[in-house]
Amino acid sequence: MPNFYFSSMNANFLQTPIAYLKGVGPNRAETLQSELGIQTFQDLLNLFPNRYIDKTQYYKITQLQRSSADVQILGKIVHIKTVEQKKGKRLVASFIDETGEMELVWFRGQKWIRENLKLNTPYVIFGKCNWYNGQFSMPHPEMELLTEHEQGLKIAMQPVYPSTEKLSNKGITNRAINKLMQQLFMETKGRFSETLSPALLHELKLLPKSEAMFNIHFPKNQELLAKAQFRLKFEELFYIQLQLLSKKMQRKQKIKGYTFDQVGELFNDFYAHHLPFELTDAQKRVIKEIRSDLGSNAQMNRLLQGDVGSGKTIVAVMIMLLAIDNGFQACLMAPTEILANQHYNGIKELLQGSHVTCALLTGSVKKSARRPIHEQLENGELQILIGTHALLEDKVQYKNLGLAIVDEQHRFGVAQRSKLWHKNEIPPHVLVMTATPIPRTLAMSLYGDLDISVIDELPPGRKAIKTVHRYDSNRLKVFRFIRDEIKKGRQIYIVYPLIQESEAMDYKDLMDGYESIVRDFPLPNYQISIVHGQMKPADKDYEMERFVKGETQIMVATTVIEVGVNVPNASVMIIESAERFGLSQLHQLRGRVGRGADQSYCILMTSHKLSSEAKTRLQTMVATNDGFEIAEVDLRLRGPGNLMGTQQSGVLNLKIADIVKDNDILKTARYYAIKLLKEDPGLEHPDNLIVRHGYGQLVKYKNIWNYIS
Ligand code: ADP
Ligand code: MG
């Protein structure tokens, strides 16, 4: 039975600077710090192996494969020579076992090695083999005399630690790290304070901390290794969830919000008489969730996720009416002028027949038109303000902003969002709407302290978009298809990639494409719009308008149309060089069509040269329309850090767990964190002192919680 309270001296001891560990010293300490971020004994302990090698098995030289991974061979050196080459000398040894012969090669440290190697003495060597000059060679093998090897710690699984070139150049090899780890275990006697409560250990049958630490670094066998990994991954994820959840709890207790306790006339009248369609069940559920937030006296900080076309706008409108019913103002912020315009027009139309006052504020609204907006906002005459970043300017002062809605959140920085907060003493309720589905696993880790509502249902009657992948060589067929669709009265998008770094080239691709389309679809039968980033905003809007009004049949564009544009009559989305787009971008683009009653199509055009990752992306797009499924694949392909493109990924800087692969453990950890906080919110029960202590340590030593909201 481990002693849970063993040595609280232990915790302090583990904060000893790494330079003081025997075998380290100031030089190595500096390298360990700069390369691996290791400053203390604790940090070294928490350097977990990337993988393990089974050293229970010896390979024979004749069994070696050209593709072989790290192998262990028993044999002896029969000859050593120095070979001169253009770039310097190398030391080459002939190494044999009873089946054959191979070479061992050194480029560095030759003098020392030459002096210390023993001829005709059994060695156990270990490393990666190359096939070179008709024979296998192993550069810089790890070597141990068989006699030493037999005396060494008998471990079946050899850990492989993260490494860098600089580390190995400075002699801090995997073996060296392994030695340091052994030293550390000797100095601590391998006894570490327990960090999880007896109840959790018991219920989940977890290995005690000390045993887990030992087996993660010196696994006795596969089974114990697996148990150690589970225990440590669980611990890591559990504490993260505990932090996120208690942060959420604190926010709800501490940050006061306005209480919208009336469901007033505007909301009821709209619901009874002006809804243009019946709400989907998902929309109803989400409105209910938001209403219950607004009815409490805590500030709402909610993320509303809904795939493109799932109908988030109407939800926003109804919530804004609720704010006005309670005597507050509301604002809606969109990332682009086009979108702000579209929201403004759409919302005005929905609010026809009500007396709600509503204005649009974007960068291109003239100064003379701004003044009355500012005034009416300040005296409370204006109830809803819709716009772009312009809403965040200092001049914009509200009488009593009660609700801020942010559309397409991923375009806004955290800083901008928090600016909205500081407009009042009591912060407005914040609803962030996003069409980029965030995989559940990621949402739990990144936004675990936000409330999340999901519209997981499309309005009825939508036909699923048909998606196909076509090669450039089939272009003529695709053009014929476009012609047929235009004949039926439909409109077409053709989108070109525009990636920042190679803008000039992308721009040329776009113009070449445009010219060839103009050639194939000539005036006067065909009208074509073009929109790209290098155009003036006014020209962009003009071209966009023509397409929206149906005056042009084809819209050639770069990804500027990615977000939000609504043209229900457009039924075909052609994406050129589709292999160059990320999954979420492809999905966003596809969402521009399928908004009307007609069958819609998405055609992914590519060359024949495709990476396997690109193939997976294309196959996924063809196989499913489900944004959440696509987001999960994206997460697997790109990893969590890249996916969110965010500095918030500090939370994802995990030491041992992987939120994608360890999804199940994450769920378990979240479940137990919720349960614990429900039973004992202050972690005051004696059983939970350990967790409370662990939580405190985390805050003290890991600075990963200063992110978001
Ligand atoms: P998004 O979630 O992408 O912002 P929108 O709010 O723009 O979606 O809605 C997309 C389209 O679906 C709009 O034309 C809207 O009028 C329509 N719509 C939304 N909800 C429903 C519904 N419950 N029934 C029918 N059509 C709906
Ligand atoms: Mg929208």
Side-chain angles (χ1 to χ4, degrees):
M1 194 58 194
N3 180 355
F4 292 122
Y5 294 100
F6 175 82
S7 66
S8 44
M9 64 133 257
N10 205 323
N12 287 333
F13 177 70
L14 291 178
Q15 295 312 315
T16 311
I18 195 67
Y20 295 108
L21 184 67
K22 194 173 160 226
V24 180
N27 264 335
R28 285 182 146 195
E30 204 182 301
T31 312
L32 284 169
Q33 149 123 42
S34 68
E35 295 301 293
L36 297 170
I38 293 173
Q39 299 187 40
T40 61
F41 286 8
Q42 177 83 64
D43 293 338
L44 181 63
L45 276 177
N46 286 344
L47 178 73
F48 296 119
N50 287 333
R51 60 196 173 90
Y52 298 83
I53 293 158
D54 193 344
K55 283 203 171 178
T56 50
Q57 191 183 343
Y58 292 100
Y59 283 78
K60 300 287 178 217
I61 291 173
T62 48
Q63 285 176 335
L64 295 176
Q65 300 291 322
R66 283 204 208 182
S67 64
S68 63
D70 294 14
V71 290
Q72 175 173 258
I73 306 166
L74 175 59
K76 55 191 177 185
I77 294 172
V78 288
H79 182 72
I80 301 180
K81 65 180 178 204
T82 299
V83 179
E84 300 279 350
Q85 54 185 19
K86 268 184 232 138
K87 280 189 230 152
K89 285 186 281 191
R90 70 193 147 108
L91 187 66
V92 178
S94 304
F95 186 79
I96 61 161
D97 68 3
E98 68 274 20
T99 69
E101 179 174 348
M102 64 185 290
E103 285 184 343
L104 312 181
V105 189
W106 292 266
F107 303 95
R108 301 175 301 269
Q110 295 173 22
K111 184 164 175 288
W112 188 87
I113 290 162
R114 182 147 208 169
E115 280 165 11
N116 285 281
L117 278 184
K118 296 191 170 66
L119 284 180
N120 297 311
T121 315
Y123 270 106
V124 176
I125 64 163
F126 182 78
K128 228 183 242 343
C129 288
N130 299 324
W131 181 253
Y132 181 75
N133 267 350
Q135 117 174 275
F136 280 104
S137 76
M138 189 184 282
H140 289 260
E142 283 181 27
M143 305 193 59
E144 210 171 16
L145 287 170
L146 182 62
T147 48
E148 275 175 17
H149 183 81
E150 281 171 341
Q151 283 162 12
L153 196 54
K154 277 278 177 289
I155 42 173
M157 313 289 298
Q158 174 77 48
V160 180
Y161 290 95
S163 178
T164 67
E165 204 178 315
K166 202 163 160 207
L167 280 171
S168 43
N169 282 349
K170 296 224 167 174
I172 309 179
T173 58
N174 196 52
R175 198 176 144 76
I177 289 181
N178 202 261
K179 281 243 160 84
L180 293 179
M181 207 65 86
Q182 285 182 33
Q183 180 65 31
L184 193 51
F185 269 75
M186 254 154 61
E187 293 193 17
T188 54
K189 302 196 178 64
R191 281 191 273 184
F192 305 106
S193 317
E194 183 51 57
T195 41
L196 291 173
S197 66
L200 280 172
L201 293 185
H202 177 76
E203 191 158 344
L204 287 158
K205 301 194 170 50
L206 299 174
L207 282 190
K209 178 83 168 196
S210 296
E211 222 174 301
M213 290 305 282
F214 183 84
N215 279 287
I216 207 78
H217 291 296
F218 313 102
K220 285 184 194 148
N221 56 48
Q222 296 271 10
E223 198 194 337
L224 276 167
L225 174 61
K227 280 191 167 166
Q229 283 174 328
F230 183 87
R231 141 90 212 208
L232 294 170
K233 285 175 177 181
F234 174 85
E235 176 178 343
E236 183 168 42
L237 295 170
F238 174 78
Y239 275 107
I240 286 179
Q241 289 303 319
L242 205 60
Q243 287 259 9
L244 289 168
L245 291 162
S246 55
K247 208 176 145 187
K248 178 162 148 185
M249 236 167 56
Q250 277 168 16
R251 198 188 66 234
K252 291 203 164 169
Q253 282 162 3
K254 272 199 203 137
I255 305 183
K256 274 210 161 39
Y258 300 116
T259 310
F260 295 0
D261 48 9
Q262 320 225 8
V263 180
E265 202 173 317
L266 285 173
F267 186 92
N268 284 331
D269 180 58
F270 184 82
Y271 192 75
H273 304 298
H274 298 292
L275 268 182
F277 34 68
E278 174 143 5
L279 295 179
T280 61
D281 287 344
Q283 283 169 323
K284 286 184 198 161
R285 188 191 65 234
V286 160
I287 290 173
K288 217 188 226 169
E289 286 166 1
I290 296 171
R291 267 176 57 181
S292 104
D293 279 6
L294 299 177
S296 77
N297 60 358
Q299 188 234 5
M300 172 172 79
N301 206 350
R302 189 171 277 276
L303 187 68
L304 173 59
Q305 289 191 60
D307 219 335
V308 273
S310 62
K312 295 185 289 295
T313 313
I314 194 98
V315 172
V317 167
M318 294 184 69
I319 300 304
M320 290 198 283
L321 291 180
L322 204 64
I324 299 169
D325 270 337
N326 284 273
F328 291 96
Q329 295 167 301
C331 71
L332 170 61
M333 191 158 72
T336 64
E337 293 222 356
I338 293 180
L339 257 179
N341 268 306
Q342 225 170 53
H343 271 313
Y344 178 67
N345 293 327
I347 289 173
K348 266 194 88 139
E349 205 178 305
L350 284 169
L351 293 179
Q352 254 173 15
S354 81
H355 299 293
V356 176
T357 50
C358 181
L360 176 71
L361 185 65
T362 64
S364 52
V365 170
K366 293 217 179 65
K367 246 195 179 156
S368 57
R370 282 182 188 219
R371 192 159 313 136
I373 293 178
H374 289 162
E375 280 170 19
Q376 288 169 17
L377 211 56
E378 235 167 309
N379 67 26
E381 271 172 58
L382 191 56
Q383 294 166 307
I384 294 180
L385 183 62
I386 295 170
T388 52
H389 297 81
L391 297 199
L392 298 172
E393 285 167 11
D394 291 334
K395 282 209 189 92
V396 181
Q397 295 294 336
Y398 299 82
K399 181 165 180 240
N400 56 356
L401 182 66
L403 170 69
I405 300 180
V406 184
D407 195 9
E408 306 296 355
Q409 150 267 349
H410 59 288
R411 295 278 169 120
F412 285 104
V414 174
Q416 287 171 325
R417 238 185 298 155
S418 69
K419 222 172 165 183
L420 271 172
W421 279 44
H422 299 302
K423 295 222 169 251
N424 306 37
E425 259 169 58
I426 294 186
H429 296 293
V430 177
L431 181 70
V432 175
M433 306 198 293
T434 175
T436 310
I438 302 166
R440 252 188 77 71
T441 44
L442 203 55
M444 276 196 288
S445 315
L446 263 188
Y447 298 111
D449 69 328
L450 294 190
D451 295 300
I452 299 181
S453 287
V454 182
I455 306 183
D456 51 5
E457 177 187 359
L458 291 182
R462 297 268 172 86
K463 291 200 178 81
I465 302 164
K466 285 189 181 148
T467 303
V468 293
H469 171 206
R470 293 283 178 268
Y471 293 106
D472 290 338
S473 46
N474 288 341
R475 189 168 297 277
L476 286 182
K477 267 195 188 159
V478 172
F479 279 8
R480 219 174 299 142
F481 177 73
I482 296 179
R483 248 177 233 118
D484 290 346
E485 285 293 299
I486 292 177
K487 234 180 250 161
K488 290 192 225 154
R490 306 287 119 76
Q491 288 167 284
I492 318 289
Y493 289 107
I494 304 178
V495 176
Y496 286 81
L498 197 141
I499 317 283
Q500 216 80 49
E501 304 96 68
S502 53
E503 211 165 322
M505 249 208 45
D506 287 337
Y507 185 68
K508 188 175 174 302
D509 285 353
L510 171 76
M511 293 323 277
D512 289 352
Y514 176 64
E515 272 161 31
S516 91
I517 288 157
V518 170
R519 233 178 295 123
D520 275 273
F521 297 89
L523 292 163
N525 285 347
Y526 300 98
Q527 300 281 339
I528 301 172
S529 288
I530 179 164
V531 172
H532 57 76
Q534 302 195 346
M535 285 163 71
K536 288 204 190 94
D539 297 342
K540 255 195 258 183
D541 288 352
Y542 172 76
E543 290 283 321
M544 204 60 226
E545 272 312 304
R546 293 214 304 149
F547 189 69
V548 172
K549 286 186 191 148
E551 290 169 13
T552 59
Q553 296 107 342
I554 300 177
M555 161 64 75
V556 177
T558 54
T559 44
V560 289
I561 62 157
E562 188 186 336
V563 177
V565 186
N566 192 20
V567 183
N569 190 50
S571 67
V572 181
M573 167 62 67
I574 295 173
I575 304 176
E576 296 285 345
S577 305
E579 72 272 27
R580 291 178 56 195
F581 289 88
L583 261 177
S584 75
Q585 238 182 340
L586 289 172
H587 181 62
Q588 285 281 327
L589 284 170
R590 179 167 62 181
R592 298 306 104 210
V593 298
R595 307 194 141 217
D598 309 305
Q599 176 63 57
S600 288
Y601 304 88
C602 174
I603 304 175
L604 307 169
M605 303 294 298
T606 73
S607 66
H608 280 276
K609 250 184 159 169
L610 293 173
S611 70
S612 73
E613 205 187 298
K615 273 184 203 152
T616 308
R617 288 199 297 267
L618 296 165
Q619 281 160 4
T620 306
M621 286 297 293
V622 171
T624 179
N625 277 308
D626 181 336
F628 282 94
E629 215 175 304
I630 289 168
E632 292 285 352
V633 175
D634 207 18
L635 178 60
R636 255 182 283 131
L637 287 179
R638 290 201 290 156
N642 294 327
L643 196 60
M644 304 306 294
T646 156
Q647 298 74 30
Q648 297 160 15
S649 58
V651 191
L652 302 171
N653 209 354
L654 300 173
K655 291 209 176 321
I656 186 163
D658 175 326
I659 62 166
V660 180
K661 290 182 196 136
D662 300 322
N663 187 7
D664 287 345
I665 307 179
L666 174 62
K667 281 187 204 155
T668 310
R670 188 169 174 86
Y671 171 84
Y672 281 98
I674 290 172
K675 185 162 171 265
L676 178 62
L677 286 175
K678 212 176 260 171
E679 289 166 0
D680 183 14
L683 304 178
E684 278 155 359
H685 191 276
D687 267 3
N688 297 328
L689 283 181
I690 286 177
V691 173
R692 188 164 146 183
H693 180 75
Y695 185 101
Q697 294 284 315
L698 202 66
V699 179
K700 207 157 138 201
Y701 297 118
K702 271 199 212 165
N703 192 20
I704 60 172
W705 305 108
N706 46 4
Y707 71 105
I708 198 172
S709 52

